[in-house]
Amino acid sequence: MEVFYSLNDQSKRNVNAIASRLSLRQPQRDSLEILAHILEINPPVKGGDLSAELAKVQGAYPNVASFDREFVSLCFALATGVGKTRLMGAFMALLYTQYGVRNFFILAPNLTIYNKLIADFSPASRKYVLNGLQEFANNSPLVITGDNYDSGIDVRSGRLNQDEVTINVFNVSKISSEVRGGKAPRIKRLSEYIGQSYFEYLAGLDDLVMIMDESHRYRASAGFKAINELKPMLGLELTATPQIESGTTPERFKNVIYDYPLANAIADGFVKEPAVATREDFNADNYSEEELEDLKIRDGVVVHEDTKIELATFARNHNLPVVKPFMLVVAKDTSHADKIVERIKRDDFFSGRYKDKVITVHSNQKGVESDETIARLLAVEDPSEPTEIVVHVDKLKEGWDVTNLYTIVPLRAANSTTLVEQSIGRGLRLPYGKRMGVEAVDRLTIVAHDKFDAIINEANKPGSIIRSVVRIGKDVNLVGKKAVTVSTTAVEQLIGRPATQPVQEKQFELEIQDKPALKTKEEQAVVNLYIEAIKDFERRVTEVPSLESLIKPEVQERITQQVTKAYETTYKPAQSEFEETSTQPDIAEIVRNISKRFVDLNIGIPRISVRPKGAVRTGFKDFELDVIAVNQQPVDQNILIQHLRTSDRSKIHADLAYATEERVEDYIVRNLVDFDDISYDDHAEILYKLSGQLVAKLRSYLKTDEEILNVVQFNQRQFANHIHSQMQMHWWQEADEGYDVVISRGYQTFTDTSYTADGNEKLRNVHQPLATGERDKIGGMVFGGFERCSYPVQKFSSDSERMFASLLEKDADTKKWFKPTRDQFTISYRDSGGSTAMYEPDFVVETDTHKYIVEPKQASMMTDPNVLAKKSATVTWCENASKYEQSNGGKSWSYVLIPHTSILPSATLKGLVQQYKG
């Protein structure tokens, strides 16, 4: 049933602020709004009338049939991968800021999630959930855990502090243990610090809010009873599976107020797209149980290796970190898991290549063995960690959040529904935080030959977890942010915004410092004509070779003549029809004043193009192929992959109809010559060398020529892509008669600028630091407060850029700077995909003696192939620009590529140039 409501002003402000600072996704924001609405209609109070409170909630949310507990408790069912922990932080912020709640109790279902939650709410952690929330910036909450609560309670002061926010994080076993040997659980024993047990202390708090993570895991009698005994004011449950497993029919929670199922998360792109894989025309009856298992594991490896090389190629072509995928095998029991590992470690399993790349995780592991396994498991995302296959027996519960699980082979007997739901949960998270639009990068594959048809049939049912319909219990009626545009024209740069022209938003009204005093509309008309004149003069390179030439008397005389002619022939006759008299402006004086201001504000950027003379030759320098990601395995038959949410199918297949090449390398070379930048006649030598190195890698782990041929046939196009992507880093071009450097403009006029900002934004001061939660939103902000910048407003794509701009504003050597607009530089480079691309620099800076193109860059990207290609092209541009400008009395140009880690408050432009100049 749809519910329509609106929040009061205070709730709206709080929700907006929290959602912005924590960068909440839409399902998280929806949940926060629902809680805000519930708190409005039923303010939290301990020990209230549950019947009356349930009636209030049902008035707005009739789908809530019961609180399911002895206190007000509501369940927010969000699919895995959407972000339940961040939502916890948002809930706490709302309850604290608007209702003064200071005591929170987070309940974890197991040790893994318990440790993860402690880290997530610890300020020193890089994943600190409350980072960016102003309410907790200066006084972070005290985190009390199941391990330190009886060691002085407050680990900072040795006593309980009623004035600060306290977050208790406990594993359910810590509070639900029964009395053993005549002793109560430790939490229920008397504490010398507070004169009662800590359990009693918590139960006596008037504002205790319980947040139950993965709450479906502890609805059993012991945990259920202990939670009720704590008597919280409010309970908030978070889970992806709001149901109790009871016999053959799961029992759904009755207190679900918001439901965002997996189908929505997949459709909205928050998680990977699940797909199920089998062989075409597969008949499980033709295989024994052991043969079927072996086949599924081997085919899982084939899919895994296919995914691995696709990920490596994608990362290389898109300048992103390489993701090392791994495969998960779900075993029946511990004995079965050990047998699977033994099988994978045998020499006849892909020639023993996975002996040192497989681990098993189950409850029978103890001591050193368990510690070593857990250490490898926690490091499985590290590209340098060798594990590629993990075999487990139901030990990888909630809390093990990895992003590089791409292939799952379930061997445990289960019906199709359970198989899908239990298999995909651990592999849904995306390695880059969002879908990348590439199938292999965005897909999670389940290898289930014998269950394929049943899974597809189940997925197509309306009630399937993949196909289920949204049940959110409310209508989201939100007004999106309206964008406002901040624009400045070339005229406004020189004289400011005319008084008759309204400003779109008052908060963006711009002040132009030291603007000339123009009193009449005739004088303003002269400035407009002056802008048009210097746009014409910038192409007269012989007459006006540089920006500084504009203040030469002879150049100003010619500009004055052109402006006067335009004024007398266009503007003046047009005005005479409406006014009997007008004031004759002093055009020569205006030209002198505006020219000086134009030169003082602007930085002269010549327009340079390099044209080859004579015949042009291209090629690829010799290099050794990187074959680390090449580990494909032979495939007996086509493997069919079908997406569960859609009906899309794809195959990993061999082009056997064309298997007629004499040499195995020919299959790769014939695909390489399909690329536009490769010629067989010109590049045959390096093509066969690189293809030979790839085949040599195959020979290092495959036993027979038949296996090598099989792998090459099945992967020939993929191998060609892999080689071609590396060839781009070694491309060269030569002209028989050299190159002509052509200067088409000696300078460029100001470009009219237009910046779009979020509707609730105000003009920010460039020197004001951003809170952590704001940094990801910097693209929606506009900045001012400049004295040395040529433009009154600038936008930045990262906080490092803002910090560098702040540095320039304070730096004594900086004369002027700005962020170039599109097309102000004509610097082309060859990207890693072999295409010609245009480089748009981040900053141009001028000092008394030099000009610089400056690029702040993420430190990890400093050696990226595309970054280096841009650097090489820009260094060449600077060399040509320096020769031209110095021949006309100007300054030299240099390129400066700066890692973001060096942009510090103590840094200077001179120091950065000395260290990072190209």
Side-chain angles (χ1 to χ4, degrees):
M1 179 177 179
E2 295 181 339
V3 178
F4 298 89
Y5 69 85
S6 61
L7 300 176
N8 64 39
D9 291 341
Q10 183 182 10
S11 295
K12 286 180 182 177
R13 286 194 300 270
N14 285 332
V15 168
N16 287 337
I18 294 168
S20 176
R21 292 168 186 164
L22 290 181
S23 302
L24 296 185
R25 293 170 165 175
Q26 193 60 51
Q28 296 167 320
R29 182 181 180 119
D30 290 346
S31 300
L32 185 63
E33 286 189 342
I34 288 175
L35 178 61
H37 186 224
I38 287 294
L39 296 175
E40 284 183 11
I41 62 178
N42 187 46
V45 60
K46 182 167 183 168
D49 184 338
L50 283 186
S51 298
E53 292 182 304
L54 180 60
K56 292 180 183 177
V57 172
Q58 288 178 328
Y61 302 90
N63 54 302
V64 178
S66 167
F67 291 138
D68 278 355
R69 302 187 187 275
E70 296 176 7
F71 53 89
V72 176
S73 185
L74 300 169
C75 177
F76 295 81
L78 276 73
T80 298
V82 174
K84 292 187 285 293
T85 308
R86 185 172 293 271
L87 181 57
M88 291 182 200
F91 283 166
M92 292 180 190
L94 178 67
L95 286 160
Y96 171 63
T97 56
Q98 192 159 337
Y99 296 94
V101 176
R102 297 179 182 275
N103 291 284
F104 299 93
F105 190 100
I106 304 178
L107 198 58
N110 58 39
L111 190 59
T112 302
I113 294 184
Y114 169 71
N115 290 326
K116 175 181 176 292
L117 287 170
I118 292 173
D120 287 343
F121 285 96
S122 297
S125 171
R126 65 183 179 87
K127 294 185 177 181
Y128 182 44
V129 172
L130 303 178
N131 208 358
L133 288 175
Q134 185 177 357
E135 297 81 4
F136 303 127
N138 298 323
N139 188 21
S140 57
L142 170 64
V143 178
I144 295 177
T145 73
D147 299 308
N148 70 8
Y149 70 91
D150 59 352
S151 300
I153 306 302
D154 187 334
V155 295
R156 292 181 292 200
S157 65
R159 62 182 176 81
L160 284 168
N161 187 342
Q162 301 290 343
D163 296 326
E164 66 184 335
V165 175
T166 301
I167 300 175
N168 296 273
V169 183
F170 277 73
N171 189 351
V172 67
S173 64
K174 297 283 186 180
I175 68 168
S176 62
S177 301
E178 299 295 334
V179 176
R180 296 178 181 175
K183 293 184 178 180
R186 197 156 53 95
I187 192 174
K188 294 186 176 181
R189 300 174 196 167
L190 180 66
S191 169
E192 60 182 287
Y193 297 99
I194 56 177
Q196 59 185 147
S197 73
Y198 192 57
F199 191 94
E200 291 172 325
Y201 163 74
L202 292 171
L205 293 172
D206 290 333
D207 66 342
L208 183 67
V209 171
M210 176 165 286
I211 301 176
M212 292 160 271
D213 193 14
E214 305 294 354
S215 62
H216 65 282
R217 295 287 302 281
Y218 36 75
R219 286 214 170 194
S221 57
F224 194 90
K225 180 174 179 290
I227 291 170
N228 283 331
E229 289 176 352
L230 278 171
K231 305 173 185 175
M233 173 182 70
L234 174 67
L236 302 172
E237 302 185 34
L238 297 167
T239 180
T241 52
Q243 60 189 32
I244 305 171
E245 297 295 336
S246 178
T248 58
T249 305
E251 181 182 347
R252 184 173 171 81
F253 291 2
K254 297 178 181 178
N255 63 341
V256 176
I257 196 168
Y258 179 80
D259 193 353
Y260 185 80
L262 181 58
N264 293 64
I266 295 171
D268 293 341
F270 292 137
V271 295
K272 296 189 186 102
E273 182 84 45
V276 61
T278 189
R279 294 191 172 212
E280 287 186 300
D281 302 317
F282 181 80
N283 187 351
D285 294 337
N286 294 331
Y287 299 85
S288 67
E289 182 178 354
E290 185 175 353
E291 288 173 338
L292 180 59
E293 284 186 357
D294 189 69
L295 180 68
K296 289 166 70 175
I297 295 171
R298 287 178 180 273
D299 283 352
V301 171
V302 171
V303 174
H304 164 71
E305 291 294 348
D306 181 84
T307 302
K308 186 163 65 173
I309 195 169
E310 289 285 355
L311 287 168
T313 302
F314 172 81
R316 190 187 303 276
N317 287 338
H318 293 80
N319 308 312
L320 291 168
V322 175
V323 174
K324 180 206 75 176
F326 76 96
M327 180 175 89
L328 183 68
V329 181
V330 185
K332 302 172 184 175
D333 51 43
T334 57
S335 176
H336 186 220
D338 290 337
K339 290 179 181 178
I340 292 171
V341 171
E342 289 176 8
R343 182 186 308 168
I344 292 173
K345 288 185 175 182
R346 290 202 310 248
D347 290 337
D348 62 354
F349 187 86
F350 296 111
S351 303
R353 287 185 45 249
Y354 297 94
K355 285 183 179 180
D356 299 321
K357 298 180 180 181
V358 59
I359 61 174
T360 182
V361 186
H362 56 69
S363 57
N364 284 358
Q365 293 175 321
K366 306 295 181 184
V368 175
E369 180 189 15
S370 179
D371 293 342
E372 290 177 352
T373 299
I374 294 300
R376 289 183 64 175
L377 190 63
L378 295 176
V380 75
E381 289 180 298
D382 185 348
S384 63
E385 205 284 323
T387 302
E388 293 189 35
I389 301 176
V390 175
V391 183
H392 86 100
V393 184
D394 206 30
K395 192 174 182 180
L396 303 180
K397 299 294 186 180
E398 298 88 354
W400 185 55
D401 298 332
V402 293
T403 61
N404 60 329
L405 173 54
Y406 272 88
T407 308
I408 300 176
V409 182
L411 302 179
R412 187 174 54 206
N415 63 48
S416 54
T417 304
T418 304
L419 185 66
V420 171
E421 295 180 10
Q422 293 183 350
S423 295
I424 67 178
R426 299 303 97 208
L428 289 171
R429 288 174 173 81
L430 292 160
Y432 297 113
K434 62 180 181 179
R435 296 262 184 93
M436 306 305 290
V438 177
E439 187 176 87
V441 179
D442 298 336
R443 185 182 67 210
L444 170 67
T445 304
I446 307 166
V447 179
H449 297 338
D450 50 329
K451 298 286 185 180
F452 180 84
D453 293 332
I455 291 173
I456 296 302
N457 291 336
E458 190 67 33
N460 288 328
K461 292 180 180 179
S464 167
I465 188 170
I466 305 299
R467 291 280 188 177
S468 56
V469 180
V470 177
R471 300 180 303 275
I472 63 175
K474 74 157 197 155
D475 179 57
V476 181
N477 187 22
L478 303 175
V479 179
K481 291 182 178 179
K482 295 180 179 179
V484 296
T485 300
V486 188
S487 61
T488 54
T489 65
V491 173
E492 291 166 4
Q493 288 291 95
L494 296 175
I495 65 174
R497 196 182 299 271
T500 57
Q501 180 179 342
V503 180
Q504 214 170 358
E505 291 286 336
K506 187 175 182 180
Q507 67 263 37
F508 291 108
E509 192 164 2
L510 309 174
E511 277 298 322
I512 309 296
Q513 301 296 326
D514 302 320
K515 60 187 177 185
L518 302 179
K519 299 179 180 179
T520 67
K521 60 180 178 296
E522 288 80 8
E523 291 175 331
Q524 292 178 359
V526 170
V527 175
N528 284 318
L529 295 172
Y530 171 83
I531 294 294
E532 294 303 314
I534 62 173
K535 286 181 180 178
D536 177 47
F537 272 73
E538 71 183 24
R539 294 177 173 83
R540 303 182 190 180
V541 180
T542 304
E543 295 179 59
V544 189
S546 67
L547 178 69
E548 289 72 19
S549 300
L550 291 174
I551 58 176
K552 292 181 178 181
E554 61 272 23
V555 173
Q556 291 193 356
E557 183 178 352
R558 289 195 291 272
I559 294 174
T560 300
Q561 291 173 355
Q562 184 166 320
V563 172
T564 300
K565 182 179 179 180
Y567 183 84
E568 296 291 339
T569 57
T570 58
Y571 178 80
K572 192 173 181 180
Q575 292 300 308
S576 64
E577 296 179 11
F578 304 97
E579 298 180 12
E580 295 182 0
T581 61
S582 62
T583 304
Q584 178 66 29
D586 186 343
I587 296 177
E589 179 66 16
I590 293 173
V591 168
R592 281 194 297 272
N593 291 337
I594 295 298
S595 292
K596 182 179 185 304
R597 177 165 176 79
F598 182 80
V599 172
D600 288 343
L601 276 178
N602 206 354
I603 297 176
I605 303 173
R607 179 61 64 93
I608 300 174
S609 59
V610 180
R611 300 172 185 173
K613 295 188 296 182
V616 177
R617 294 177 293 108
T618 63
F620 300 91
K621 298 176 184 177
D622 190 31
F623 70 99
E624 304 302 313
L625 187 69
D626 180 356
V627 293
I628 293 177
V630 177
N631 291 290
Q632 271 70 6
Q633 303 299 325
V635 178
D636 295 330
Q637 300 177 46
N638 290 342
I639 293 179
L640 176 68
I641 297 175
Q642 177 161 333
H643 289 254
L644 296 182
R645 186 174 60 88
T646 68
S647 58
D648 296 341
R649 286 190 173 191
S650 58
K651 302 175 185 178
I652 303 172
H653 69 281
D655 190 7
L656 299 178
Y658 296 92
T660 58
E661 303 292 351
E662 294 181 2
R663 298 169 56 185
V664 67
E665 290 86 352
D666 290 341
Y667 294 99
I668 302 172
V669 171
R670 74 180 186 187
N671 284 276
L672 282 167
V673 297
D674 287 340
F675 290 101
D676 292 338
D677 58 345
I678 291 180
S679 163
Y680 182 88
D681 293 336
D682 295 334
H683 307 134
E685 182 177 352
I686 192 169
L687 296 181
Y688 275 102
K689 173 193 170 178
L690 299 176
S691 298
Q693 290 179 348
L694 191 146
V695 172
K697 172 61 184 295
L698 299 179
R699 293 189 189 281
S700 70
Y701 66 85
L702 297 175
K703 292 182 177 181
T704 65
D705 289 340
E706 289 76 15
E707 287 183 331
I708 294 171
L709 181 61
N710 177 288
V711 170
V712 172
Q713 288 175 342
F714 271 64
N715 299 280
Q716 53 188 284
R717 188 63 188 174
Q718 187 183 59
F719 286 160
N721 289 335
H722 188 64
I723 293 173
H724 184 251
S725 69
Q726 295 187 44
M727 292 176 68
Q728 301 314 307
M729 294 181 283
H730 304 278
W731 181 84
W732 57 264
Q733 174 182 287
E734 291 179 353
D736 287 346
E737 299 176 24
Y739 297 85
D740 276 334
V741 178
V742 179
I743 310 297
S744 58
R745 298 180 187 179
Y747 66 92
Q748 297 175 57
T749 55
F750 284 124
T751 303
D752 295 352
T753 60
S754 180
Y755 299 123
T756 300
D758 290 342
N760 58 354
E761 274 292 313
K762 294 183 181 296
L763 189 66
R764 294 176 180 249
N765 190 293
V766 69
H767 303 298
Q768 183 65 42
L770 297 180
T772 302
E774 294 179 307
R775 293 171 189 165
D776 291 339
K777 302 293 185 182
I778 195 169
M781 304 173 187
V782 287
F783 294 82
F786 305 118
E787 294 181 1
R788 303 176 193 267
C789 182
S790 301
Y791 292 82
V793 173
Q794 295 278 253
K795 287 192 74 172
F796 305 110
S797 60
S798 69
D799 197 43
S800 297
E801 287 189 5
R802 180 199 63 79
M803 292 171 63
F804 183 70
S806 177
L807 180 155
L808 293 175
E809 284 291 304
K810 299 173 183 177
D811 190 89
D813 290 328
T814 302
K815 187 177 180 181
K816 46 192 170 181
W817 70 273
F818 60 84
K819 287 180 65 64
T821 55
R822 187 181 297 273
D823 297 330
Q824 282 191 285
F825 283 91
T826 52
I827 303 174
S828 63
Y829 70 99
R830 189 177 177 84
D831 66 22
S832 59
S835 301
T836 298
M838 299 304 297
Y839 170 46
E840 298 176 15
D842 283 341
F843 290 86
V844 58
V845 183
E846 184 172 355
T847 68
D848 287 333
T849 58
H850 290 81
K851 295 179 183 178
Y852 301 102
I853 296 174
V854 183
E855 179 86 6
K857 184 61 64 177
Q858 189 77 19
S860 61
M861 299 290 289
M862 290 290 285
T863 58
D864 176 84
N866 271 357
V867 173
L868 295 180
K870 293 176 185 177
K871 177 180 178 180
S872 176
T874 310
V875 168
T876 300
W877 187 97
C878 288
E879 291 172 354
N880 293 326
S882 296
K883 290 178 183 178
Y884 172 76
E885 285 218 18
Q886 289 175 334
S887 68
N888 289 281
K891 302 171 183 178
S892 64
W893 283 83
S894 297
Y895 181 64
V896 189
L897 180 63
I898 306 172
H900 80 283
T901 49
S902 295
I903 302 174
L904 304 170
S906 59
T908 64
L909 177 63
K910 181 182 292 185
L912 293 172
V913 169
Q914 289 175 347
Q915 188 171 1
Y916 297 109
K917 184 173 72 171

